[in-house]
Each structure stands twice: as C-alpha cells, then as structure tokens.
Amino acid sequence: MVLFIYSLHCQMANGFTHVSSRSSFLQVGGHLDGNILKPSATYPQQRRGRCKCCLSADPSLGSWLRPNKWKCQHFNHVKANRTRTYYKSEEYDITESAAADSMKSAEGSSEVVLVSPWWEQFPKRWVIVLLCFTAFLLCNMDRVNMSIAILPMSQEFNWNSATVGLIQSSFFWGYLLTQIVGGIWADKIGGKQVLGFGVVWWSIATILTPIAARIGLPFLLIVRALMGIGEGVAMPAMNNILSKWIPVSERSRSLALVYSGMYLGSVTGLAVSPILIHKFGWASVFYSFGSLGSIWFALWIKKAYSSPKEDPELSPQEKKLILGGSVSKEPVSVIPWKLILSKAPVWALIISHFCHNWGTFILLTWMPTYYNQVLKFNLTESGLLCVLPWLTMAVFANIGGWIADTLVSRGLSITAVRKIMQSIGFLGPAFFLTQLSHVRTPGMAVLCMACSQGSDAFSQSGLYSNHQDIGPRYAGVLLGLSNTAGVLAGVFGTAATGYILQRGSWDDVFKVAVALYIIGTLVWNLFSTGEKILD
C-alpha cells in the first residue's frame, strides 16, 4: 500500500505515468530497501544534458525512460543529449538478457525526433509545381523575345513586313506538330523525360537563333520551327506529371500557378529584352534567355520524378496523401483513340478550347494595334500597356485556382466547380468586350481590356483543369488534342481579324469573339463533366 501511494505521488509530481507492481519500480528511479525506495547506485546510465521533466515511465519500454513531450518545457533538446536511466531491484532481479531485449525494443521509441529545416519540410509535390512554373516562365520568355528582337534584326538584314510575318509564324509550324505527339509520349514514358527534353530542345534552338539568322533566312525558319517543336510538348508533359503528383483538392491552384508562369514569362521577356538589346545587341537576348534552360534542367534532373512512386525521398505521409486522393498512376501502353473521341466531354474540351483561344489570341496579338489605332497611344505606351493583361491574368488565375479548390474541399462537386469557373472564363470576357464600344475614354477602354483578360484567366480552373478530371491517365493526350484546336484558333483568328478590319471595324472583331464565347459557354455547360470517363 505504501508503495502504491508513493507511485501515485511520483506520477503526479514528476510526470511518471504508470507503476503497477514492485518490479515496476525498476522504471521510476530506485531500488527497494525494505519498504523504502532508494536511488540505485548500481546501474545508473546517464547521458549528459537531459532535463528531468522529459522523463516519464512506460511499462512497454521495460527499463527505459522515454520523453514526456506534453509536460516538458525544454523539448528542443539535441538528439545526442538524451538521458536513459534504468535501475535494478535487489529483491526482484532482472537478467542481463531481458534487460538487453528491453533496451533493443525501446531504442526506436526513445528517440527524440529532430525538427527539419523548413525547406526540407516543403511538400515535394509543390516542388514539382514550382519547377513546372519555372519551365513555363522560360517557355514564354524564349517565345516573346523574338517579337522585340525582330525590330533591329529586320533593319540589319533588310527584311520586309512579309518576311517578318513569315518568321513569326514559323514557330507555330513546329508547335502544332508536337501537341498530340507530346501527349502520347508523356502518357507512355512519363512527364519528367518529355518536359526535360522540351526545355533542353527549345533552349538550344533559342541559342542557335542568331547564328541561323546570319547564315540565311531558310536556316532561321528551320530553327524557329524546331523551337516550336520543343515548346509544343511542354503543356501535355506538364499536364501528365501534375495528374500524377497533385490530388484533386489542389488541382486548380497548382495548374493556375503553372500557367501564371507563362504570363509572367511574357512580362519578363517584354521587359528585359529591350534592356539587353540596348546594352549588348539583339543577339544577347537569345544567348542569355536560352542559357537559363541549362540551370533549370540541372534542378529538374535532380529533384523531379514522373510519379510519386518513383521518388525515394518522398515521405510516406505525403505519398499516402497523393496516391490516396487520385486514381491509377500507371503509364499507358496503348492510346484508345476510338474510345476517347467517342466521349462528348472530350469534344466539349476541344470545342471550348477553340472558342477560348480565339478571343484570347486576338486580344493578345492585336492589342498593340488597337491601342495605337483606336486609343491613339504611341508605340511606347502601347508596349507598356501590353504588359498589363499578362499581369492581370497571372493574378486572377491564382485567385480562381484558390476559389475552385476551396469549393471542392467544401463538398461542391467537381463538375459544378468546373462549369462555374469556365462560365466566368467565357462570359466575363464577352461582357467586357461588349462594353468597349460604349466607353468614351482610353482609361476605361484599358480597364475593360484588363478585366476581360482577368476573367479569362478563370479558365485555368475550368477547361484547363478538366483534362485531369475526365482522364488522368490520358491527361497528356487530351491536352494535346484540345490545345491543337486552341492553336488553330489562334492562327485562324489572327488572320480573320485582319480580314475583318479591312472590310469592317473593331466592333465587328469583338462581336465574332463574343459569339464564340457564348457558343463555348453553351457547349461547356451542356456536355462537360468533372467525373472520370476514361480509365
């Protein structure tokens, strides 16, 4: 009875959790001398630096003491400064083998886990997202630099406007070729290899551009087409790798962040290129931008994996979160084209992507001309204002991604979320374009254009996220299909705008875009879904 009262006192005073018998006093710090518990001097083993408040007994640990982290106020101890103490009862002997077994079994439990630096605790899936973001930043930096460098180049090589247009369009020759091919390749062998190949390929083509230009026009056209081939695989490969790494609850915000890299890449390219050209000549733009790809590739090879299952450094907790919130991660061997093209939601993606890119490419391609001809801004002001929609899209894409993921986490169906976000992405630009004919000041016109592009960015959480919803294993192929339609819309829409302006007005241009936005809204809401339809 005396012993029981004493054990209860020890538990309350010192944080010891359990003593149930005489032999249990081997754990609480003493040996028996009659009915008096005394500290044992026979078998103390102590490592320096351990505070008493960190010790609590547990019968499952035999003769070992483990830290009581809830009661300790000095919990941030260095791992090597643990105290392990055991005692031997003179009345109830414990053999060496039993004590040794007890010590071995308790070894893992008595360890104090060190707190890792924040950069080691950063989720690995978001490392993948940030690397994809950087790849798309470089993608558009390398793409838009020609639009600035073409001015001094055309003066040096005496190119006329027709030749300049041919050079600018040669990029899309290769870009169109590898949309579907890149998706097939990514779905079969993995997004890491395909995206890494794409960045290296277009970086080399960027560096070779000044050399090809000095050799002759045909070589320049070939190099620009090769650059388009490299950039053409980027979006399908990115879509494939994120479909494996990102759970559905984070899908919208991750894709929004990656696509905002494209917008910020355009801003960076348009802002930095004139400075480099002024100080070092037009060739410096291609050499400096292209060389950045090697730095990215070194990080990509070291940190990226095509799927969570291939990453040996991924924590079990994060792997469970990723794999538990998504579907099959196995690569495909055969693409079921007949099955894919027989699904109405797939055609909803293709048609909606065409309608979306028609309006987007018209605004981004013809905006400087509109500012100059209609709003009477000079070329410098037009160039500065061209950056505004890209910035607006980068901001609103991430806002839309956060809203979409929040709605999904609160129980709203994925189908409803995708339809809501894409409806904003269609009807928002349509509304603001209709207001352009009613505004009276340049400032209001610029505001309408910025709001149009800002609401357009909600599409990143609508149709651009839907490929992974309906067919995660074929996400690369699906994006290749729909983006091919989107690129064709950009090519035809840009040409059609010039034709309309020769016979009509800017109001006619905007009316065509608004009509396609409305068609896209109807098709999307009637036939799209957020459920998986391709296994």
Side-chain angles (χ1 to χ4, degrees), residues 124 128 189-193 240-245 304-312 314 319 322-323 329-331:
K124 185 60 181 290
I128 301 295
I189 70 172
K192 175 181 179 178
Q193 292 84 346
N240 172 275
I241 196 169
L242 291 192
S243 71
K244 293 177 170 57
W245 272 95
Y305 293 88
S306 290
S307 72
K309 293 180 179 180
E310 300 176 12
D311 191 345
L314 188 65
K319 183 177 290 187
I322 296 170
L323 299 180
K329 306 297 178 183
E330 298 300 324

Side-chain angles (χ1 to χ4, degrees), residues 125-141:
R125 63 190 183 279
W126 283 95
V127 172
I128 301 295
V129 171
L130 289 176
L131 285 171
C132 290
F133 164 87
T134 310
F136 276 60
L137 183 79
L138 296 176
C139 176
N140 267 31
M141 285 176 62

Side-chain angles (χ1 to χ4, degrees), residues 140-141 144-145 148 264-274 289:
N140 267 31
M141 285 176 62
V144 304
N145 58 12
I148 304 296
L264 294 177
S266 297
V267 172
T268 304
L270 292 172
V272 175
S273 294
F289 285 10

Side-chain angles (χ1 to χ4, degrees), residues 52-229:
K52 295 180 180 179
C53 61
C54 283
L55 301 179
S56 65
D58 189 328
S60 66
L61 298 182
S63 61
W64 287 86
L65 300 176
R66 70 178 184 180
N68 187 346
K69 62 181 180 181
W70 304 109
K71 297 180 187 258
C72 178
Q73 302 187 5
H74 312 282
F75 190 58
N76 295 325
H77 294 294
V78 180
K79 187 174 181 180
N81 291 345
R82 293 188 305 270
T83 298
R84 292 175 179 165
T85 309
Y86 70 94
Y87 298 88
K88 183 177 180 182
S89 169
E90 295 176 355
E91 182 173 305
Y92 295 93
D93 192 16
I94 296 180
T95 63
E96 289 185 7
S97 60
D101 292 340
S102 170
M103 295 191 309
K104 290 178 181 179
S105 64
E107 181 68 27
S109 301
S110 62
E111 298 292 327
V112 176
V113 179
L114 288 176
V115 179
S116 302
W118 67 267
W119 56 85
E120 294 182 7
Q121 299 180 20
F122 192 76
K124 185 60 181 290
R125 63 190 183 279
W126 283 95
V127 172
I128 301 295
V129 171
L130 289 176
L131 285 171
C132 290
F133 164 87
T134 310
F136 276 60
L137 183 79
L138 296 176
C139 176
N140 267 31
M141 285 176 62
D142 291 341
R143 184 187 301 186
V144 304
N145 58 12
M146 177 59 81
S147 63
I148 304 296
I150 197 73
L151 299 175
M153 291 174 72
S154 60
Q155 293 177 354
E156 180 177 334
F157 299 110
N158 296 317
W159 293 333
N160 57 31
S161 57
T163 303
V164 170
L166 184 64
I167 294 170
Q168 294 279 45
S169 65
S170 61
F171 170 86
F172 292 98
W173 304 347
Y175 192 72
L176 271 172
L177 289 176
T178 51
Q179 292 294 317
I180 297 175
V181 173
I184 297 172
W185 192 16
D187 288 343
K188 287 189 174 184
I189 70 172
K192 175 181 179 178
Q193 292 84 346
V194 179
L195 185 55
F197 160 81
V199 174
V200 171
W201 185 276
W202 86 58
S203 296
I204 293 174
T206 301
I207 294 173
L208 292 176
T209 300
I211 302 172
R214 292 189 171 99
I215 295 175
L217 181 60
F219 293 94
L220 178 60
L221 296 177
I222 292 173
V223 168
R224 291 295 292 176
L226 290 175
M227 181 181 174
I229 287 175

Side-chain angles (χ1 to χ4, degrees), residues 21-22 30 66 74 160 256 258 276 302 307 366 369 389 441 493 509:
S21 66
R22 284 188 167 189
R66 70 178 184 180
H74 312 282
N160 57 31
V258 171
L276 290 175
K302 183 177 180 181
S307 72
W366 286 93
T369 305
T441 63
V509 173

